Amino acid sequence: MGGTILLINPNSNPEVTAGMARAVAPLGLAGGPALECMTMASGPFGIETQRHVEEVTLPLREIVASRGDVDAFVIACFSDPGLAVCREATTRPVLGIRECAVMSALMQGDRFGVVALGPSSIKRQYRAFREMGVDGRCAGSAPLHLSVAAAEEAAAYPKVKAAAESLLEAGAETIILGCAGMTRHRAPLIAELGVPVIDPTQAAAAQALGLVLLARGGEMRAAA
Amino acid sequence: MGGTILLINPNSNPEVTAGMARAVAPLGLAGGPALECMTMASGPFGIETQRHVEEVTLPLREIVASRGDVDAFVIACFSDPGLAVCREATTRPVLGIRECAVMSALMQGDRFGVVALGPSSIKRQYRAFREMGVDGRCAGSAPLHLSVAAAEEAAAYPKVKAAAESLLEAGAETIILGCAGMTRHRAPLIAELGVPVIDPTQAAAAQALGLVLLARGGEMRAAA
Amino acid sequence: MGGTILLINPNSNPEVTAGMARAVAPLGLAGGPALECMTMASGPFGIETQRHVEEVTLPLREIVASRGDVDAFVIACFSDPGLAVCREATTRPVLGIRECAVMSALMQGDRFGVVALGPSSIKRQYRAFREMGVDGRCAGSAPLHLSVAAAEEAAAYPKVKAAAESLLEAGAETIILGCAGMTRHRAPLIAELGVPVIDPTQAAAAQALGLVLLARGGEMRAAA
Amino acid sequence: MGGTILLINPNSNPEVTAGMARAVAPLGLAGGPALECMTMASGPFGIETQRHVEEVTLPLREIVASRGDVDAFVIACFSDPGLAVCREATTRPVLGIRECAVMSALMQGDRFGVVALGPSSIKRQYRAFREMGVDGRCAGSAPLHLSVAAAEEAAAYPKVKAAAESLLEAGAETIILGCAGMTRHRAPLIAELGVPVIDPTQAAAAQALGLVLLARGGEMRAAA
Amino acid sequence: MGGTILLINPNSNPEVTAGMARAVAPLGLAGGPALECMTMASGPFGIETQRHVEEVTLPLREIVASRGDVDAFVIACFSDPGLAVCREATTRPVLGIRECAVMSALMQGDRFGVVALGPSSIKRQYRAFREMGVDGRCAGSAPLHLSVAAAEEAAAYPKVKAAAESLLEAGAETIILGCAGMTRHRAPLIAELGVPVIDPTQAAAAQALGLVLLARGGEMRAAA
Amino acid sequence: MGGTILLINPNSNPEVTAGMARAVAPLGLAGGPALECMTMASGPFGIETQRHVEEVTLPLREIVASRGDVDAFVIACFSDPGLAVCREATTRPVLGIRECAVMSALMQGDRFGVVALGPSSIKRQYRAFREMGVDGRCAGSAPLHLSVAAAEEAAAYPKVKAAAESLLEAGAETIILGCAGMTRHRAPLIAELGVPVIDPTQAAAAQALGLVLLARGGEMRAAA
């Protein structure tokens, strides 16, 4: 059947996009949808303020509206920019990586903890979890006090691990990496901590894969 | 890479298992994990009481403990029997179709509604949604007043549709089919109502697919 | 002392701005801050979609950033567009009329009800009330099934009254008019129903008035 | 137009009343309502126990019932004594300073923290926030371990500041002074911490001011 | 061992006290505490307003403080007047019949429904259930539109039954009689509806019985 | 009248049963129901895993179904195994000691704290309190890091006391002993801490006592 899942990196940093492509590569299977990763060249180099979030919102909508060939969209920024307006522009699935990470965590353990960049992202997360109606299952968020770029580097691992450990101590049973670019820390964390660790881009891409494969009529085709 | 997802139908009705196999067939891709569907012969013909739920719990655990070749398990009954004890028996993912249906719904719309078999299942659902901590996003459950067997038949469609419409009227933006065997109603409901309709077995199998493809180290293998 | 409160109508309809000016006129007192009402000429004629909301967001931020002479801002649209990004741009108060209407209602009675334009605004409201963390005090929202323009007309009163009565029946003790332009219905509703009726623009302007009068040092000046 | 807002200090300490008058003086404008502050001579010298709360309840109701010339009442004690029974005695607004402080805080930031006198007031606050339905937005309460009288003195400032800082650390974005008599600490806290600091008596008086100016028909008069 | 449980009827109607005595008589056992029922002669004939509630609050405290011979107190009014202040006056248990009815219901079924006198009591109940933190388990309250006196009469039974049935329809699994004087309807309701029906005075007296028998050291005495 | 309350110790350790009998002995009164304590010989020596919980579930149901002479059942394990399936098997009351302990705590103070065996029991408790809908009133759970057997010994008292003190510090007003076998610590804790301390087996047995005495028709018999 085929089809296409488009993952949009709303910042203009192509390295982030490349990391994203590596992260979701295991989801690309023969006969399944293609996983196309794109950099939004008009975006800021990193999305670090609310202004950045707002600046990418309408450009994201334009991409969604113009790509009639895409079966499902993933907006690959942990602030979930533009979800509502993109969903208004199409009936095809538009997924946010924060939402998907949280829901995936809830299917793998009781309370979740978030490794966050810093205090200001934690405040945004509290509001988001309340809006999602799942705040009762958040065991906490632990700040790295790092920039996006620094959090992505291998050198950040000891801080990431310490943050994750403090969350487990606080009762978390799963750990969410609270940024699109921390995928590299996932495997070692799982190996060392022995709990599910969720990379948000992977979680959203996996959800998109399922939705595309099961899109209306899919179950009929399969039975034919 | 391969791997296996085992979907366990905890009742002894092979027709249900066959329907389940058809429902998840679109998720079976070359290079991806096999989707094995099994009937638990020792189970009751249908799981309709709390006693039935408890009777299948330890047998489910035995299957999970004995199948070391399986990468992820799906327990395909909307009562989510045995989740906790199966998870205690393994570090591999064990997914419940009710949990996965709800989380998938939450990624596709704001409040969800459930097409339920009858009032007693609705009561169990309220407790479960509260335990999941997502009761604030349930717009309601509408009873069909039908047996499991009757709900699966094509003749049930008008009742299913009426229930779904009442849920949309109550504010639901997505509809969950509240039983493992209502897959056949999904496509026509989507066509007629224009909203996401979630089949719980499909939702759990899709989640399992993602988890298996992304299992520890997966992102490295793919990048290699 | 003086000072200025700027009320921004983010749509381009000057009649709405004029109605807003009439609504808040009683809050303009000698010695108190001026209440300046402006029309955002670049806005859509009415804010009816999520796209409209997003389109006015950054222009609102620009106004806030450029008007260094203003002491407090009121964004006069019941969707509360741009609150977060405007607040990032200044340390002066930026108030949203939906937030202020809800909080004012909570100070005047136990549960509140909202007279809403239609089902889609109700869905947005549920999410917003959950994000605000006050959903437990919402007795319901009743749809008028009217456009913004139609809801503002005197002819809409019977529908507005019927909606308000249904909310009181559902347990509401206060009524919020769920749109910036329904001020004219407030006085007759209070007269006929005998409960507090909150006009959101008035509620936000009153809150702004208090904040400006009490701004840092205010209590010292007064005591001098 | 004029009108009168009556602020009732339910304790018999005239110094508290004098401080209250200074706190709300900036809200008294030419053409606006008078702000009358009264000491309830029959009250205890300080309201420190539940018994004190109950002892002032019916006397407060008597004042409300007997002052037909008043347009809005403020009960100036952070325990909000007698709100329900006073509201039963009149259709005019009766505002409690704890309720108003919380709602004002919610309009100025996400989660709030309370500088409390001691552990027993914190316990009462938890119950009150739950009753208000806003407990999800409380980041915590920090005890001063001081008496009412001591908390009012300038010497208490270092403790107040330390408490506020611990609340910001815990995620609060606004600070509520949890007692009627801590107004003097507000300006220096704002200057040093850079976040909104809410004095409850001011918050309630400001809300009363708005309600009186916007009382039924006001918007018509103003437009005439 | 003996001991005394004092049930205080805070209204001055001795017939209510007599009904209460009949209701709790089955809890009076040889060797167990005496169940003393008293009428508070200074109370109103019926507690129907918030003013009535406040008027009995301090007199209740006086009784609690003066009766050093009592082991546990039950305040037998569904508005739970004076609980906080009475608890401040003693370390012995002081139980409210509304609180005890709700907690007893929660031990006997999932969601509860309340047969209420009228809309105003329902509003008070919503606030109370929120304060108790159990609002998520209330399936609803159904108004009888009857006075206290009328609700107690045998002739009220058809209305009580209809209200209870509507609550079961709404998902309640247990029924609380929302007034101290509806005991007579309990047995026929249980017989006809087949669900637990809780009389609040009985629920509180039973809880008091347990607390007195298990008071500090009781388990030692018994083992001696 | 008489009657029988059956307390089932679902583990096979007769010493636990003996301790349970001592704990509830004060509730056995002349003319009241007999309190029969039984050891479930087929149970594990201690219930420490989810598998243990599931293994005792159906055997508990069998006991309930076969003992037609019993008026009320208490399942004496803090994991509340088998509640739902036992309740399905009878219309007589089946009480769980965890549920009863929590509800009893809620009638004796605002927020409760739990002295728990270890981190894994705390995780189960969070889920249970959420399912009960009372998580908003839990001030926390403090782990002893002890086995069931060790927690029961007198030597554990200093750890139990330290845990309880930490919970009071966190805002708890009552303490629940989170295991069926910690009764011996109750009296000294009450003496030293001065707050209500709830033994769960006692709480459930007391609730059963009340229900049996008040069973349908009881109030009539007593009045005859």
Side-chain angles (χ1 to χ4, degrees), chain B residues 115-117 144-157 159-160 178-179 181-185:
Chain B
V115 177
L117 294 177
L144 293 175
H145 299 293
L146 288 179
S147 70
V148 179
E152 293 179 11
E153 286 175 27
Y157 182 70
K159 286 197 175 184
V160 171
C179 183
M182 290 200 267
T183 315
R184 78 158 75 209
H185 306 309

Side-chain angles (χ1 to χ4, degrees), chain C residues 164-176:
Chain C
E165 285 172 333
S166 75
L167 294 165
L168 297 181
E169 184 72 20
E173 300 188 29
T174 60
I175 299 294
I176 293 175

Side-chain angles (χ1 to χ4, degrees), chain C residues 106-165:
Chain C
L106 296 184
M107 289 185 261
Q108 296 182 65
D110 197 60
R111 293 195 294 158
F112 65 92
V114 183
V115 177
L117 294 177
S120 66
S121 28
I122 291 177
K123 284 173 188 171
R124 279 196 290 269
Q125 287 165 20
Y126 266 93
R127 201 166 60 210
F129 298 155
R130 225 166 43 219
E131 185 189 309
M132 287 186 214
V134 300
D135 45 316
R137 287 183 70 180
C138 179
S141 293
L144 294 174
H145 299 290
L146 288 179
S147 71
V148 178
E152 294 179 9
E153 287 174 28
Y157 182 70
K159 286 198 174 182
V160 172
K161 185 184 162 193
E165 285 172 333

Side-chain angles (χ1 to χ4, degrees), chain D residues 127 130, chain E residues 87 99 103 130-134, chain F residues 105-113 133-140:
Chain D
R127 201 165 60 209
R130 224 167 44 220
Chain E
R87 286 171 174 170
E99 268 195 17
M103 298 310 165
R130 225 167 44 220
E131 186 189 308
M132 287 185 214
V134 300
Chain F
L106 296 183
M107 289 185 262
Q108 297 183 66
D110 198 56
R111 292 196 295 157
F112 64 92
V134 301
D135 46 316
R137 289 184 70 180
C138 179

Side-chain angles (χ1 to χ4, degrees), chain E residues 149-160 181 184-185 188:
Chain E
E152 294 179 9
E153 287 175 27
Y157 181 70
K159 286 197 174 183
V160 171
R184 77 158 78 210
H185 305 310

Side-chain angles (χ1 to χ4, degrees), chain C:
Chain C
M1 59 168 291
T4 301
I5 294 167
L6 180 63
L7 293 95
I8 313 172
N9 170 19
N11 71 44
S12 55
N13 183 345
E15 293 220 12
V16 170
T17 316
M20 194 182 299
R22 283 193 299 274
V24 302
L27 299 168
L29 295 179
L35 292 150
E36 178 186 341
C37 295
M38 75 171 279
T39 305
M40 202 170 83
S42 69
F45 192 71
I47 293 183
E48 292 172 348
T49 64
Q50 189 66 32
R51 185 182 194 170
H52 290 152
V53 167
E54 307 295 356
E55 285 174 347
V56 303
T57 294
L58 287 170
L60 283 167
R61 185 193 185 283
E62 273 177 51
I63 294 171
V64 167
S66 68
R67 289 292 302 268
D69 61 313
V70 167
D71 296 277
F73 298 89
V74 171
I75 298 179
C77 167
F78 202 70
S79 298
D80 278 357
L83 269 192
V85 78
C86 290
R87 286 171 174 168
E88 189 181 74
T90 181
T91 59
R92 292 162 293 162
V94 182
L95 300 169
I97 67 170
R98 182 169 60 194
E99 267 194 19
C100 289
V102 169
M103 298 310 165
S104 183
L106 296 184
M107 289 185 261
Q108 296 182 65
D110 197 60
R111 293 195 294 158
F112 65 92
V114 183
V115 177
L117 294 177
S120 66
S121 28
I122 291 177
K123 284 173 188 171
R124 279 196 290 269
Q125 287 165 20
Y126 266 93
R127 201 166 60 210
F129 298 155
R130 225 166 43 219
E131 185 189 309
M132 287 186 214
V134 300
D135 45 316
R137 287 183 70 180
C138 179
S141 293
L144 294 174
H145 299 290
L146 288 179
S147 71
V148 178
E152 294 179 9
E153 287 174 28
Y157 182 70
K159 286 198 174 182
V160 172
K161 185 184 162 193
E165 285 172 333
S166 75
L167 294 165
L168 297 181
E169 184 72 20
E173 300 188 29
T174 60
I175 299 294
I176 293 175
L177 299 173
C179 182
M182 290 200 267
T183 316
R184 76 159 76 210
H185 306 309
R186 183 174 173 249
L189 272 186
I190 293 175
E192 290 204 81
L193 303 182
V195 299
V197 177
I198 292 100
D199 175 77
T201 308
Q202 291 182 330
Q207 174 72 3
L209 174 63
L211 292 177
V212 170
L213 293 174
L214 295 167
R216 181 177 175 274
E219 62 279 4
M220 253 117 271
R221 276 203 309 282

